[in-house]
Amino acid sequence: DTGVSQNPRHKITKRGQNVTFRCDPISEHNRLYWYRQTLGQGPEFLTYFQNEAQLEKSRLLSDRFSAERPKGSFSTLEIQRTEQGDSAMYLCASSLRGILAGVTYQETQYFGPGTRLLVL
Amino acid sequence: DQQVKQNSPSLSVQEGRISILNCDYTNSMFDYFLWYKKYPAEGPTFLISISSIKDKNEDGRFTVFLNKSAKHLSLHIVPSQPGDSAVYFCAAKSRGSTLGRLYFGRGTQLTVWP
């Protein structure tokens, strides 16, 4: 399977605990995104990497959240001191930023299956 | 502030008929639009996209129409099949942004009944 993979698929934790999620993008993709989706809402942008550089963070990403992509391949999203409001589906997406004939072309983001987090 | 809006939370269509899902946006800087389909407990699956330089894009049973002056796009599915039952999300990307973040609507639950 060459799609985006995420682990774990489900996580139940107690309030105050730390959790870490992993995302493995499509192998040749240089861009990686994290989104969060709560019930009845569309995915909301959290942060974005181009290769190993974290280039944008949403204001939704409080200082309890940290994301890394150490070698420009897989990424981890850590939530410290979890709160009940952190309960959501955490989605990872990847895309390939490219230039064709001197023009940057529009890229499509491909999503993984998500990690469902429940904070008790 | 919801920059991409899907005002119909649900749509029910008979198998074989046309499904039309609508999406409105407020940001005139959006220049690339995508539709994703999502089944329960899965991530969104890319369906079809359209650039703002076009007003229509087709892929098999799926056609997306873009009306820039009205800041409106729609997804047509013809003919609809029971397997199309899912939540459909409209998403948009801003022109000139090298960052690529997508702005999503809240989704429309499509149910196709036999």
Side-chain angles (χ1 to χ4, degrees), chain B residues 8-27:
Chain B
S8 298
S10 64
L11 175 68
S12 183
V13 170
Q14 188 175 24
E15 181 178 8
R17 307 291 285 265
I18 184 171
S19 296
I20 300 176
L21 298 103
N22 294 303
C23 178
D24 297 291
Y25 61 96
T26 58
N27 189 338

Side-chain angles (χ1 to χ4, degrees), chain B residues 67-111:
Chain B
N67 182 334
K68 290 183 289 294
S69 60
K71 293 191 176 70
H72 177 84
L73 64 156
S74 60
L75 174 68
H76 293 210
I77 306 173
V78 182
S80 301
Q81 299 173 354
D84 296 329
S85 297
V87 178
Y88 288 77
F89 290 100
C90 172
K93 189 177 87 65
S94 181
R95 174 179 35 244
S97 168
T98 58
L99 301 176
R101 64 182 289 184
L102 294 177
Y103 296 82
F104 283 84
R106 292 183 176 176
T108 297
Q109 171 71 58
L110 173 65
T111 301

Side-chain angles (χ1 to χ4, degrees), chain A residues 9 31 33 35 37 40-43 45 48 50 55-56 58 89 91 97 106-114, chain B residues 1-2 31-32 34 36 38 41-44 46 49 51 89 93 98-107:
Chain A
R9 294 291 307 275
R31 289 186 159 187
Y33 305 80
Y35 291 83
Q37 185 181 14
Q41 302 292 323
F45 172 80
Y48 149 74
Q50 179 153 315
L55 297 186
E56 188 182 8
S58 162
M89 172 78 87
L91 294 162
R97 171 174 167 77
Q106 297 285 13
E107 64 206 63
T108 297
Q109 293 180 27
Y110 295 91
F111 284 81
Chain B
D1 179 26
Q2 197 79 15
D31 69 341
Y32 188 56
L34 307 91
Y36 287 86
K38 187 178 184 301
E42 293 184 12
F46 170 71
S49 62
S51 168
F89 290 100
K93 189 177 87 65
T98 58
L99 301 176
R101 64 182 289 184
L102 294 177
Y103 296 82
F104 283 84
R106 292 183 176 176

